[in-house]
Structure formats: structure tokens, C-alpha cells
Amino acid sequence: MPRVVFAVTVAMTAQAFLRDQATALAARGWRVDIVCAPDDGTDSFVRLQDLVGVTIHPLAMERTLAPLSDLRAYRAWLRILHDLDPDVVIASTPKASLLALLAARRVGTPTRIFHVRGLRSEGLGGILGLLTRWSERAAIRASTDVLVDSPSLLDTIQRVGLLEPGQGRVLGDGSCCGVDVAWFRPPSPDEREQARSTFGLGHDDIAVGFIGRIAPDKGVRELVDAAINAHTEDPRIRLVLIGPREDSGELDAALDLIDRQAWAHRLPRTPDPRSAYWALDALALPSYREGF
């Protein structure tokens, strides 16, 4: 029976992108393991436990560069992969990809797939940017295959010299995990009204929203500034921000300002992003970088 290990830094990524893929492989006879940090500020790790035929392994990993912690995590990866002896390791997100693929190469895992969902180094400068680019290069060199979410991301990876022309493959026409179009469907009038009432939106309000990580490289500061300007011009404008905050205080002023506005709504997470999309009139994607 073949075995695959999925590696992601935080459980939220596995919850968002790997659930269906992992259970589908398990249903086809694969032994499936997911390794991720047990605590990322959400309930994702707990929710992963209900996956049928999938074993979840907790392994603390820091998303930022942390030499001592990273060394401990690398040693833990060596132990996990030695014990599981997988046929395939599929790694995504920067830190998990670096540690898991280096460890997989060390223990001799035959197929090591780096699934690139985005280039973290694109949003960084200085020494941190150089170190992050080095880690991306190291993960690519430790892999046997590189899968990329979109043609534009593959072009970028080749342009910056991480891959040679002709190397790397795009999944289908481009996707991180596919979209369930039966679930993410247009709402009925009643569903839309109920979704809008969740955010206190009136019939004439114009709701602009963002759903994702609340972080500087997602363009959140710029979105807040734009929303304030737009609301000044048209008081019907409403802003909806949904997602976990991930910054070191850079967004304090912007978020404090928006939290004082009665026409703005901010939530750390939502159990049903579909209903949030249903409530919006416009979706804003001001991110400086995206894989797909």
C-alpha cells in the first residue's frame, strides 16, 4: 500500500487546501499522513482529526526564520519520515517545504514534490528576503518534482532563476486545490439577504470585502485607506475584513482606525466563507503577491 505525507507549516493550510485531496487518496487505498503545527490560532488542527483514513501528526514549526526552532523541527522531520517511510512527500508553504524536503532527501524518499502556492520572497526585502529566496531555492533542489499553482507563478519562478525554462509543471490550467462549484454557487435572494444581515448590511449598502490573511503583503493597509476615501465620497460604502491577523504591529494604526468605524466589520475568521461572499457586492484582492 503506497504512502504519502503532506507537509504544511500550519493546520489552517491543510484545512483549506488538503482535505478533499487527502481523503480521496485514502479512499483509493493510499496511507495518508498530514504533518503540520498543532496550534495556529484557529481550530483547524482539531477539525482535521475527522478526516477519514488520514493520520494527522503535530509538529511545531515557526513560519518565520528561527534557527534553533527550525533545527529542532528538522530533526523531528527526520524521525517522522524515518518511521513512516513514505513513497511520496508533498510539501507546500515555505517553512514546511524547506524542512520536509531536506529531510525527505536525507532519508531517501523516492518522490519529493514541492507544491509552490506562492513565492514568499516576493513580499520581502533585505536580508530576510535573501534568506527566504535561499530557502525556496533549497526546497526546489531537494525536490524531484515542482508543481505550481498558475502559469504566471511558474513564469515568475523561472524569471528569478529558481527554475530553468522547461522545469516545473502547472496543475491543470492552474489551481491550488480546485473549486467546488456546487458549493460555491450564487445565492438565492433569501440566502443573500440572510448573509448580509449577518454583517448588518442594509439593502442600499455597497459592501466591499476581503477574505484572507490580514497582513501587510496582502495590501490590507491600502484597502483600509481606499475604503475610508470611498466612504467619504459615498456613505453607502461598507468594508468587510475577514481573516487571521499576521503582522508584527505594522497594521496597528490602520486596523485601530477601521475598528472605530461603524460602517466597517472585521472578523478573525468565519466557519462559512461562502456566506461571506454572498453578502458582498465587490471582492477586493489588493495583495502584492498571490500564487493563483
Side-chain angles (χ1 to χ4, degrees):
M1 183 182 298
R3 186 166 213 155
V4 58
V5 172
F6 288 94
V8 291
T9 307
V10 296
M12 182 172 58
T13 304
Q15 171 70 17
F17 296 145
L18 298 179
R19 291 181 62 92
D20 291 345
Q21 185 177 0
T23 53
L25 285 170
R28 287 164 172 78
W30 285 71
R31 289 180 294 174
V32 181
D33 302 88
I34 296 176
V35 181
C36 58
D39 181 12
D40 59 5
T42 74
D43 63 351
S44 297
F45 190 84
V46 174
R47 295 173 66 188
L48 289 172
Q49 307 297 320
D50 64 9
L51 294 181
V52 177
V54 180
T55 303
I56 312 300
H57 304 267
L59 197 165
M61 289 175 281
E62 300 288 341
R63 298 185 68 175
T64 57
L65 292 172
L68 292 179
S69 175
D70 293 345
L71 180 59
R72 288 193 295 268
Y74 173 70
R75 290 173 174 170
W77 266 112
L78 289 174
R79 292 192 295 270
I80 288 172
L81 295 179
H82 181 270
D83 292 342
L84 297 179
D85 189 24
D87 302 276
V88 183
V89 169
I90 304 175
S92 56
T93 68
K95 184 59 69 66
S97 296
L98 175 66
L99 300 177
L101 292 171
L102 289 176
R105 183 175 63 179
R106 176 74 178 271
V107 302
T109 303
T111 302
R112 307 180 298 275
I113 299 174
F114 184 15
H115 182 171
V116 187
R117 302 182 185 276
L119 280 184
R120 174 67 176 135
S121 58
E122 278 193 294
L124 300 172
I127 295 297
L128 184 56
L130 291 174
L131 291 173
T132 303
R133 179 61 53 84
W134 172 87
S135 71
E136 292 164 345
R137 190 183 306 278
I140 286 174
R141 289 181 174 177
S143 66
T144 59
D145 301 88
V146 178
L147 299 180
V148 185
D149 276 355
S150 69
S152 60
L153 178 58
L154 179 57
D155 289 343
T156 299
I157 294 172
Q158 293 172 346
R159 176 174 51 80
V160 300
L162 292 175
L163 284 175
E164 297 294 330
Q167 292 182 321
R169 290 182 291 169
V170 176
L171 294 171
D173 291 325
S175 177
C176 62
C177 63
V179 176
D180 185 344
V181 295
W183 176 254
F184 287 102
R185 57 174 174 77
S188 68
D190 287 344
E191 287 171 330
R192 175 167 166 80
E193 183 177 353
Q194 182 176 356
R196 287 175 68 84
S197 68
T198 301
F199 298 101
L201 298 170
H203 178 74
D204 294 328
D205 291 336
I206 302 171
V208 179
F210 168 83
I211 303 174
R213 293 186 298 110
I214 306 300
D217 63 351
K218 291 293 186 180
V220 171
R221 183 186 292 105
E222 290 80 356
L223 178 59
V224 168
D225 290 343
I228 291 172
N229 291 337
H231 182 76
T232 300
E233 295 291 330
D234 188 339
R236 295 177 299 168
I237 295 291
R238 301 288 185 269
L239 178 65
V240 177
L241 292 177
I242 300 176
R245 183 173 175 181
E246 295 182 8
D247 69 294
S248 301
E250 303 100 312
L251 297 177
D252 283 350
L255 295 179
D256 288 347
L257 178 60
I258 211 68
D259 286 343
R260 294 197 298 268
Q261 311 304 317
W263 50 268
H265 307 269
R266 184 161 69 92
L267 297 174
R269 63 186 64 89
T270 174
D272 183 10
R274 179 179 66 166
S275 64
Y277 290 124
W278 284 350
L280 301 177
D281 296 288
L283 180 69
L285 293 173
S287 178
Y288 281 85
R289 63 176 189 90
E290 287 296 329
F292 177 60

